[in-house]
Amino acid sequence: MKKTCYVTTPIYYSSGNVHIGNSYTTIACDVYSRFHRLSGYDTFFLTGMDEHGQKNEEAAAAAGKTPQQLVDEIAATTNQLWRDMKITHDDFIRTSEERHTRIVREIFSRLLAQDDIYMGAYEGDYCVSCEAFFTKSQLGEDGSCPDCGKPTRKVKEECYFLRLSKYQDRLLEHIKANPDFIEPETRRNEVIAFVESGLEDLAVSRTSFRWGIPVRENPRHVIYVWIDALSNYLTALGYLSADDALYQKYWVNGDKVVHVIGKDILRFHAVYWPIMLMALGVPVNFKLYVHGWVLMKEGKMSKSAGNIIYPRDVMDKYGLDAMRLYLIKEMPLGNDCVFSYERFIEKYNSDLANDLGNLLNRTLVMINKYFAGRLEKPDRRYGDYDRELEETIENTARKYKESFASFRFQNGLNEVWHLINRSNKYIDETTPWVVAKDESRRDELNAILYHLYESLRVTAIMLAPVIPDTAEKIFRDFGLDTIDFNGLGYGKTASVKVTEKPEILFRRLDPEIELKSQNENTKPEITIDDFNKLDLRVGEVIDARKVENSDKLLLLKIKIGAATRQVVSGLAGAYAPADLIGKKLVVVANLKPVKIRGYLSEGMVLTAEGKGLPLEVLEVKKHNSNSRIS
Ligand code: ME8
């Protein structure tokens, strides 16, 4: 019988949106699932959507929809996005589905009946955005949410509580007895410290909104979204339903049960969830991999900062595989990584175009040129280089497997790139173009190219979980069909026949051109009302002179209708003062006046700028000063 592996992503909030940062979790789970399938595990990969809560209720009302309509639309587009990202999930559970709500209600009832949940009263500070209560000491200075910074609300309500305190000791024992329950270790230590500081019972129902799962015994209450959401990992498997075969197979009798989460939701998964399971009598046999954040250079990605990057934009422009590889190779387990287009282009060029792309292309071209696309497995070695490369292939495959099985993708990929670079070096060392000149060394030449072929074949197999399209293309070029981990090792091909027309997989990108186009759209979205706040007018420059002691600034007198304004503008690098006189420019006429170098500046001149080109003012030809610009 095959070993089993159950892999889950957190179910994403339908009120959030999928950006390059949070898509990491799902891509990482996909890599982990694909790796386990290729390793021979019977793998079940679950993702889904967390749909209840006040935020969606409010958003739906604002959009004139029912909450169900709103989440239906979001779930459909999100699931499609995952499919387009070649995410191979076996199920997509939504918390508004009947198969889920029915069982969550049942879970709550059981815990209530056995007094693990009890009725009490709650007074606290609640963040609607994060759907979480915070204690006074956790709040920001102005009472704001410690996670998202938005204002919290004081909430007082009658409320059900889950007895966390009762399970505190059992939880600590479990964590201590299972050193690999939470990885990496820093996160494990954090949880131990949190639990040791003492657990307070958790408020697990709300009466302040309706869009949730009502408590069966008291429908005025809806079940707290986290109790609702965490249960998805079991409800998707049919736990407590008429058919719980998946639950028995993947959970109770499963070999690997893995929840992958970002560090922000550690407490929910490492404390509340195991306690829920203990109370339900479900084996606590999962483990947690806790990853860090994908950050922008300036910090977190957020709508308000206007720095969100969407996966569709990246994959449409540079290809899905380049995006998947970047995220998986840049993120170390236990730390954050940065997404920037500078780094992305740099890595695209070095990892894909140079290292992998070149090796593949050189190898295919030589096999075609010297052997019309055909090679045979050599029956002996021709030098130390051969042995060394064979050993590198074997060692890399071993280290790669160890790293990927324990979610250390970056380490595993660094090993793969070590093999790729070793293989490129092998070409320089063995100089096949020199060997090719000597007819008596045909067998040696065949052996050199066979080694390169084998190294690339094994590389393609190892890369298949991360960049599946590229791995398949290499396999097709190599005349092979099924990618299989049994193929991880040197010398598994008896005779080789490669494509006659290799295509270039990754062309080098010109960083300057790419970055210029990326810089174009980096400001947050505004509404037409925001835009209408600008009073843009045509103004005629009637005087211009340099600002003393400044290389950049010009002092302009600009006529707008009957009035004359003074504007200090950074145009000195691009225009001589005389060139501007008489020009009709676009001026922001309602900008609050400021003093620049002691001169009052009563407006702003619009300019165009971009890498490699001088600053240019926006000119109007036909209109006279005072015309409106809209
Ligand atoms: O937390 N970099 O959903 P979610 C990396 N509904 N990971 C990030 C990230 C970033 N910049 N931003 C978010 C929820 N994430 C709950 C889960 S499970 C029972 C309920 C990660 O949509 C985040 O850590 O806010 C989480 O793992 C996932 O994206 C979904 O977050």
Side-chain angles (χ1 to χ4, degrees), residues 233-497:
Y233 302 132
L234 290 182
T235 60
L237 296 179
Y239 170 66
L240 295 186
S241 75
D243 178 5
D244 72 350
L246 292 177
Y247 167 68
Q248 295 298 341
K249 176 176 175 186
Y250 290 104
W251 192 285
V252 180
N253 302 308
D255 296 292
K256 267 192 169 186
V257 177
V258 170
H259 297 317
V260 178
I261 58 168
K263 61 185 179 184
D264 53 320
I265 53 178
L266 175 60
R267 208 190 336 145
F268 301 96
H269 285 81
V271 179
Y272 307 160
W273 181 228
I275 287 181
M276 279 173 70
L277 297 179
M278 286 172 185
L280 288 166
V282 171
V284 184
N285 58 0
F286 69 88
K287 73 168 290 158
L288 283 176
Y289 283 114
V290 189
H291 64 74
W293 291 93
V294 179
L295 298 171
M296 304 303 285
K297 271 190 286 188
E298 61 276 14
K300 265 194 182 178
M301 228 174 279
S302 75
K303 264 192 185 164
S304 50
N307 60 357
I308 295 187
I309 292 183
Y310 293 100
R312 259 197 215 286
D313 294 337
V314 180
M315 67 202 228
D316 287 354
K317 183 129 198 240
Y318 300 108
L320 174 63
D321 278 359
M323 181 176 84
R324 289 176 58 117
L325 180 69
Y326 181 91
L327 290 173
I328 297 299
K329 193 157 180 270
E330 286 291 288
M331 180 74 96
L333 183 66
N335 263 314
D336 297 333
C337 79
V338 170
F339 184 94
S340 75
Y341 274 112
E342 282 94 333
R343 177 97 180 139
F344 180 83
I345 308 285
E346 185 190 318
K347 295 304 290 174
Y348 185 104
N349 281 339
S350 62
D351 288 347
L352 290 172
N354 275 4
D355 299 346
L356 176 62
N358 253 346
L359 177 64
L360 179 68
N361 195 255
R362 288 164 92 185
T363 303
L364 286 171
V365 166
M366 287 192 288
I367 297 175
N368 274 306
K369 182 169 170 193
Y370 300 133
F371 292 98
R374 290 176 191 280
L375 301 173
E376 293 303 322
K377 181 174 176 179
D379 45 20
R380 71 178 185 90
R381 289 192 183 120
Y382 289 82
D384 280 348
Y385 297 136
D386 293 351
R387 190 183 35 78
E388 225 186 282
L389 190 63
E390 288 165 29
E391 280 171 11
T392 309
I393 293 173
E394 301 292 338
N395 287 338
T396 304
R398 185 175 42 76
K399 290 187 199 158
Y400 157 86
K401 276 200 224 161
E402 282 166 14
S403 302
F404 268 53
S406 60
F407 219 82
R408 283 155 178 83
F409 304 130
Q410 186 183 55
N411 299 355
L413 288 175
N414 287 342
E415 292 297 333
V416 176
W417 255 264
H418 172 71
L419 172 62
I420 293 172
N421 291 330
R422 186 67 199 81
S423 305
N424 270 320
K425 197 161 153 236
Y426 173 91
I427 301 183
D428 301 337
E429 288 164 348
T430 54
T431 57
W433 52 93
V434 176
V435 180
K437 289 192 183 127
D438 185 345
E439 197 47 41
S440 69
R441 295 173 75 187
R442 286 288 288 171
D443 290 347
E444 186 181 345
L445 185 60
N446 171 79
I448 293 170
L449 298 181
Y450 180 85
H451 276 80
L452 291 170
Y453 174 95
E454 282 294 280
S455 169
L456 271 163
R457 184 183 58 76
V458 171
T459 295
I461 299 174
M462 292 190 287
L463 290 179
V466 186
I467 48 175
D469 288 348
T470 304
E472 270 173 33
K473 272 190 210 150
I474 296 175
F475 254 55
R476 246 180 282 131
D477 283 353
F478 277 18
L480 303 167
D481 32 59
T482 318
I483 295 180
D484 180 340
F485 274 11
N486 290 327
L488 283 179
Y490 170 82
K492 305 232 174 196
T493 318
S495 56
V496 168
K497 169 79 184 84

Side-chain angles (χ1 to χ4, degrees), residues 510-548:
D510 180 334
E512 200 161 309
I513 294 172
E514 300 304 326
L515 293 177
K516 202 169 144 196
S517 75
Q518 291 311 336
N519 285 336
E520 277 161 9
N521 201 359
T522 52
K523 289 198 178 165
E525 194 173 77
I526 60 165
T527 63
I528 188 74
D529 291 340
D530 293 329
F531 179 78
N532 283 339
K533 286 182 189 157
L534 291 174
D535 185 9
L536 297 175
R537 300 291 176 115
V538 176
E540 184 177 346
V541 182
I542 53 173
D543 188 34
R545 60 193 63 200
K546 289 197 125 193
V547 169
E548 250 176 67

